[in-house]
Amino acid sequence: MSDLLAIADQFVFNHFNEHTNKNLFHNYSHTMQVVNSCKVLAKEHNCSEEALQDLLIAAYFHDTGYVN
């Protein structure tokens, strides 16, 4: 995992832990399901490392707005 992805992961983990109602569907666990699905799809489609990083950053942040 690149440093940027590790930072994104930690930020989103903290963000959900600090701001989210634990009963919501859009939470860190759901985010990790999306991230892992993106990894599978990217591999199947032979994405470049740069495209994969962009995709995973988008996956990490895709539901962060649901905390409010």
Side-chain angles (χ1 to χ4, degrees):
M1 179 183 293
S2 75
D3 290 343
L4 185 57
L5 290 175
I7 291 167
D9 179 36
Q10 189 63 53
F11 178 89
V12 171
F13 176 81
N14 292 338
H15 180 72
F16 279 123
N17 279 334
E18 293 170 10
H19 301 289
T20 302
N21 174 337
K22 303 298 183 213
N23 296 320
L24 289 177
F25 174 75
H26 296 98
N27 55 31
Y28 183 74
S29 177
H30 166 70
T31 295
M32 292 311 299
Q33 291 172 342
V34 172
V35 168
N36 290 327
S37 293
C38 287
K39 288 177 183 179
V40 169
L41 290 170
K43 185 176 181 178
E44 289 176 2
H45 292 277
N46 298 316
C47 288
S48 68
E49 287 297 315
E50 182 179 347
L52 175 60
Q53 180 170 286
D54 291 347
L55 176 64
L56 294 179
I57 289 171
Y60 275 111
F61 285 94
H62 82 281
D63 281 332
T64 56
Y66 281 98
V67 298
N68 296 324

